[in-house]
């Protein structure tokens, strides 16, 4: 949807920015679809309850689907700079200083994502988990119960839902790098 | 010190507030050396959103999208015209009544100002009202959105404070009605001051037609309130039912929407909701880390040196919120203030949490119309083509009216809690 993305921005952009634009479009569809699912789950709950046959897993699933939609939407928000910021000070700066500061902010965001990536790597510990005999062994040796934690009502391991966090890391880092690249090139000085 | 310093530095350079909170939490962990917390950091971010009440947020945003696309706002405006007789400044009152009706469906000031600017301002201008005053009244009317239930701010307050959202909605009804009445007084003064034109008398036939046309639109707030009070649905599910009703009304009754408009409404709602939800998730990480600092206890100690009177505390709170509201949006302000000050208010000063909630939400809404950071003000200026400074000046009398309501709320807690206890 062209309304989501500023197309003119991608015209003279590099591969990074084009990838970020394409990803944002895909994310826009995903987030919309997931919110659709939340909506239908809530209605399903009303209907089944009024027939006296409530489904216990609906509420928990609706919450997880909402979280998926939220983190995917938050990733689009990084690309489009939708996230609320205090711009009182930056607005008062002269143009040159302001640009330097904005580049700094974009870089800081990228640094945050790098740290977040390291945190996720340590938590999911793919190397440790794969080298252990079983996931149960891994949990016992590392005291990291990420792969054992159950959901309350759905009957699935919670890690399946937590997988949105690495997805958010990857997409957020891509958008943040693309934004920084665009800013360094001199574009997007507006916001 | 390092923590407060990095928090302020991140905030002032213009890092998005959600990332300010998430990054400050990291700084705290680094400074405290308690690196074992990093193991739970990502889980806390996810867990911050594991809350049933939060589902109401995307649902009410979705409802707003469908209201906007489905032509429901315009019907409510026509109905308000039909309800009022020939009085001086008729359309100004109509604007207010329509805003009141909209507020009973929408929960966001900015969304409401955006829709009403498109509907009400052109009508008023055509009838001979000065444009800037019309935009000012429309902007002020938007202040009703977060207080008349359903309200986005109450949802967020309820989640942050862990209080029942339905009860918060009910607590907002009386203060909302008081605001409405005080706004009527302001408009009566405006009518003389700016010599508003008299509205024409409509025939009974036209009035009935407008009423009939608006009935499906009026069914939406009825669905919300009825399904909650009837025990059929939670406030969250009521929003989903109302969304379905708005969608069907837009598609088949008013026919202003087509099937092609449905998916973009979902996707855009998801995008808007995500910004707020991510902020809440980051705030969760922040407050999880900050509990190790025991900030509320320290603030409480400092405050008790200043005053022991609950009324003085509430008046000071109002001043603090006004200042905070001027420089930030209400949602981050709630997230920053409530975890620290709510325990102080209830445990130290014995203030009712619902009274506290209504005061916080009402006060922070004012910040939407104050420069330098006023999203509602800029939305109104943009939509109406009037300078933001001019609108800020014109809404000042409405501000004073709200300030009066706030002072009354500080002195008389039952204004917020009475109706909830009756029901």
């Amino acid at each position: 949807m062209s309304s989501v993305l500023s197309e003119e921005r991608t015209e003279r952009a590099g591969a990074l920015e084009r990838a970020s634009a394409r990803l944002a479009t895909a994310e826009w569809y995903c987030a919309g679809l997931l919110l659709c699912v939340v909506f239908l789950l809530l209605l399903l709950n009303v209907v089944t309850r009024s027939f006296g046959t409530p489904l216990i897993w609906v509420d928990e699933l609706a919450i997880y689907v909402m979280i998926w939609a939220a983190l995917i939407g938050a990733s689009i928000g990084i690309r489009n700079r939708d996230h609320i910021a205090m711009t009182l000070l930056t607005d008062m700066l002269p143009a040159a200083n302001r640009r330097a500061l904005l580049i700094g902010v974009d870089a800081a965001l990228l640094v945050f994502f790098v740290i977040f990536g390291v945190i996720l790597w340590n938590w999911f510990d793919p190397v440790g988990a794969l080298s252990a005999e079983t996931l149960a062994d891994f949990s016992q040796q590392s005291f990291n119960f990420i792969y054992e934690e159950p959901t309350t009502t759905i009957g699935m391991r919670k890690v399946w839902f937590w997988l949105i966090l690495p997805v958010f890391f990857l997409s957020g880092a891509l958008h943040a790098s693309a934004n920084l690249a665009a800013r360094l090139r001199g574009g997007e000085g507006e916001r | 010190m390092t923590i407060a310093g990095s928090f302020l530095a991140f905030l002032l350079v213009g890092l998005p507030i959600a990332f300010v909170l998430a990054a400050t939490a990291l700084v705290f962990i680094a400074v405290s050396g308690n690196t074992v917390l990093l193991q739970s950091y990502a889980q806390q971010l996810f867990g911050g959103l594991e809350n049933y009440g939060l589902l109401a947020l995307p649902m009410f945003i979705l409802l707003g999208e469908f209201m906007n696309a489905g032509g429901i706002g315009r019907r409510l405006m026509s109905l308000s015209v039909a309800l009022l007789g020939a009085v001086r400044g008729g359309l100004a009152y109509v604007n207010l009544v329509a805003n009141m009706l909209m507020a009973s469906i929408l929960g966001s000031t900015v969304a409401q100002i955006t829709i009403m600017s498109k509907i009400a301002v052109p009508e008023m201008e055509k009838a001979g009202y000065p444009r800037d005053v019309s935009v000012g009244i429309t902007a002020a009317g938007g202040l009703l959105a977060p207080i008349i239930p359903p309200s986005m701010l109450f949802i967020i307050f309820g989640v942050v404070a862990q209080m029942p959202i339905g009860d918060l909605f009910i607590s907002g009804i009386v203060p909302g009605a008081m605001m409405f009445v005080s706004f009527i007084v302001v408009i009566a003064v405006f009518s003389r001051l700016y010599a508003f034109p008299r509205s024409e008398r409509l025939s009974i036939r036209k009035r009935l037609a407008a009423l009939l046309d608006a009935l499906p639109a009026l069914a939406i707030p009825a669905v919300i309130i009825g399904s909650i009070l009837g025990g059929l649905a939670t406030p969250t599910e009521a929003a989903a039912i109302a969304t379905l009703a708005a969608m069907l009304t837009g598609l088949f009754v008013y026919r202003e929407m087509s099937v092609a408009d449905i998916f973009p409404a979902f996707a855009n709602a998801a995008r808007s909701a995500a910004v707020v939800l991510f902020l809440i998730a980051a705030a969760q990480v922040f407050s999880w880390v900050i509990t190790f600092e025991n900030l509320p206890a320290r603030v409480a100690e400092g405050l008790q040196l200043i005053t022991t009177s609950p009324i003085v505390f509430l008046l000071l709170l109002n001043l603090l919120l006004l200042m905070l509201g001027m420089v930030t949006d209400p949602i981050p302000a709630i997230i920053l203030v409530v975890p620290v000050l709510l325990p102080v208010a209830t445990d130290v000063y014995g203030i009712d949490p619902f009274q506290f909630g209504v005061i916080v939400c009402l006060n922070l809404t004012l910040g939407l119309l104050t420069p330098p950071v006023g999203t509602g003000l800029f939305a109104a200026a943009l939509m109406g083509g009037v300078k933001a400074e001019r609108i800020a000046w014109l809404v000042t009398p409405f501000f004073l009216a709200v300030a009066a309501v706030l002072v009354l709320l500080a002195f008389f807690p039952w204004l917020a809690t009475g109706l909830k206890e009756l029901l």
Side-chain angles (χ1 to χ4, degrees):
Chain A
M1 278 293 126
S2 59
S3 60
V4 194
L5 315 162
S6 38
E7 293 287 350
E8 71 279 7
R9 204 180 118 185
T10 52
E11 266 174 27
R12 51 189 194 90
L16 197 60
E17 288 162 66
R18 281 199 301 274
S20 156
R22 252 184 243 130
L23 177 65
T25 310
E27 285 174 323
W28 188 79
Y29 282 104
C30 284
L33 208 63
L34 288 168
L35 188 58
C36 239
V37 173
V38 174
F39 173 68
L40 294 174
L41 283 172
L42 288 174
L43 290 179
L44 177 70
N45 222 4
V46 177
V47 173
T48 53
R49 190 172 340 104
S50 65
F51 283 116
T53 50
L55 302 166
I56 50 158
W57 48 267
V58 172
D59 280 346
E60 195 184 10
L61 184 63
I63 291 170
Y64 292 144
V65 177
M66 171 191 74
I67 298 177
W68 277 57
L71 287 176
I72 292 172
S75 163
I76 307 177
I78 291 166
R79 177 186 150 81
N80 291 303
R81 305 181 193 282
D82 285 336
H83 290 286
I84 308 165
M86 241 174 76
T87 54
L88 195 58
L89 199 73
T90 42
D91 287 347
M92 290 189 305
L93 288 176
N97 299 359
R98 197 164 144 245
R99 181 165 177 267
L101 189 64
L102 289 174
I103 289 175
V105 168
D106 276 354
L109 208 57
L110 193 55
V111 170
F112 172 81
F113 271 103
V114 171
I115 298 174
F116 188 58
V118 174
I119 290 172
L120 286 174
W121 180 267
N122 288 334
W123 186 38
F124 278 84
D125 193 7
V127 178
L130 286 175
S131 57
E133 286 281 310
T134 62
L135 284 175
D137 283 347
F138 167 75
S139 306
Q140 268 185 346
Q141 284 154 19
S142 63
F143 289 105
N144 179 353
F145 295 93
I146 180 171
Y147 297 104
E148 301 280 297
E149 177 105 359
T151 52
T152 317
T153 56
I154 303 176
M156 277 169 79
R157 298 281 168 86
K158 207 165 167 186
V159 68
W160 292 111
F161 299 103
W162 278 333
L163 277 177
I164 193 64
L165 289 163
V167 173
F168 174 65
F169 155 69
L170 289 172
S171 58
L174 175 67
H175 290 317
S177 334
N179 275 355
L180 181 61
R183 193 86 88 184
L184 284 172
R185 217 189 50 235
E188 279 296 282
E190 299 294 308
R191 300 169 79 170
Chain B
M1 245 354 256
T2 328
I3 296 148
S6 51
F7 176 79
L8 276 179
F10 289 147
L11 197 65
L12 289 178
V13 296
L15 195 68
I17 296 174
F19 291 95
V20 171
L21 294 167
T24 310
L26 284 179
V27 172
F28 180 88
I29 294 174
V31 170
S32 70
N34 207 351
T35 46
V36 68
L37 290 177
L38 287 178
Q39 195 73 5
S40 324
Y41 184 90
Q43 192 180 345
Q44 286 290 334
L45 187 78
F46 187 96
L49 295 177
E50 280 179 65
N51 184 314
Y52 181 79
L54 277 181
L55 282 166
L57 198 99
M59 282 305 121
F60 278 111
I61 294 180
L62 188 61
L63 178 56
E65 288 281 335
F66 281 114
M67 292 253 320
N68 196 8
I72 288 163
R74 206 155 50 77
R75 266 63 177 204
L76 294 179
M77 179 82 184
S78 311
L79 172 70
S80 314
V81 172
L83 287 176
L84 255 91
V87 285
R88 178 180 285 283
L91 270 183
Y93 296 106
V94 164
N95 186 334
L96 193 64
V97 173
N99 261 307
M100 181 87 168
L101 292 173
M102 290 283 282
S104 67
I105 306 175
L106 282 176
S108 143
T109 298
V110 179
Q112 184 155 325
I113 290 176
T114 312
I115 298 178
M116 286 305 290
S117 299
K118 274 187 241 166
I119 304 166
V121 175
E123 290 272 327
M124 289 175 79
E125 214 182 2
K126 223 187 311 168
Y129 290 77
R131 185 180 187 88
D132 51 353
V133 183
S134 313
V135 175
I137 291 172
T138 309
L143 291 177
L144 292 167
I147 301 306
I148 310 275
S151 147
M152 210 119 91
L153 289 187
F154 283 156
I155 296 172
I156 290 160
F157 180 87
V159 168
V160 174
Q162 298 179 340
M163 279 159 61
I165 290 160
D167 287 352
L168 277 166
F169 281 179
I170 295 168
S171 308
I173 293 177
V174 173
M178 287 164 66
M179 264 171 83
F180 178 72
V181 173
S182 68
F183 283 10
I184 286 184
V185 176
V186 176
I187 290 181
V189 176
F190 268 29
S191 296
R192 305 213 163 267
L193 200 65
Y194 296 101
F196 282 166
R198 201 167 262 281
S199 53
E200 4 174 338
R201 182 171 290 280
L202 285 178
S203 68
I204 296 287
R205 207 194 168 90
K206 277 192 176 161
R207 288 182 188 213
L208 275 178
L211 180 64
L212 219 58
D213 197 32
L215 275 182
L218 282 178
I220 293 167
V223 162
I224 295 178
I225 296 164
S227 55
I228 296 175
L229 291 184
L232 181 68
T234 62
T236 308
E237 290 162 355
I241 301 174
T243 304
L244 183 68
M247 196 197 302
L248 296 177
T249 309
L251 278 175
F252 301 114
V253 183
Y254 297 149
R255 296 164 188 271
E256 293 200 7
M257 236 174 83
S258 71
V259 179
D261 298 325
I262 294 178
F263 187 77
F266 274 99
N268 291 332
R271 228 184 105 188
S272 319
V275 171
V276 181
L277 290 172
F278 185 66
L279 185 60
I280 292 170
Q284 183 64 37
V285 178
F286 182 72
S287 47
W288 162 68
V289 160
I290 226 74
T291 40
F292 298 97
E293 280 278 86
N294 207 3
L295 206 56
R298 282 161 58 180
V299 171
E301 271 171 31
L303 272 172
Q304 274 175 309
L305 295 179
I306 305 173
T307 179
T308 51
S309 146
I311 303 251
V312 177
F313 168 78
L314 283 176
L315 295 177
L316 285 175
L317 174 76
N318 271 313
L319 280 180
L320 170 83
L321 292 172
L322 266 182
M323 289 190 284
L324 192 64
M326 283 177 78
V327 292
T328 180
D329 271 340
I331 293 168
I334 285 182
I335 288 170
L336 293 177
V337 164
V338 171
V340 178
L341 287 183
L342 178 63
V344 178
T346 52
D347 301 349
V348 180
Y349 293 98
I351 292 164
D352 186 281
F354 289 92
Q355 180 193 12
F356 180 87
V358 174
I359 289 179
V360 168
C361 295
L362 185 51
N363 188 315
L364 288 175
T365 312
L366 286 179
L368 283 171
L369 292 185
T370 49
V373 181
T375 328
L377 181 68
F378 297 128
L382 190 73
M383 300 295 299
V386 180
K387 276 204 162 147
E389 298 91 309
R390 178 75 187 143
I391 302 175
W393 169 247
L394 283 165
V395 295
T396 312
F398 293 99
F399 262 59
L400 297 177
V402 177
V405 173
L406 279 170
V407 171
L408 285 174
L409 273 170
F411 279 96
F412 306 108
W414 47 265
L415 289 173
T417 59
L419 194 59
K420 177 173 63 75
E421 278 153 23
L422 271 180
L423 284 176

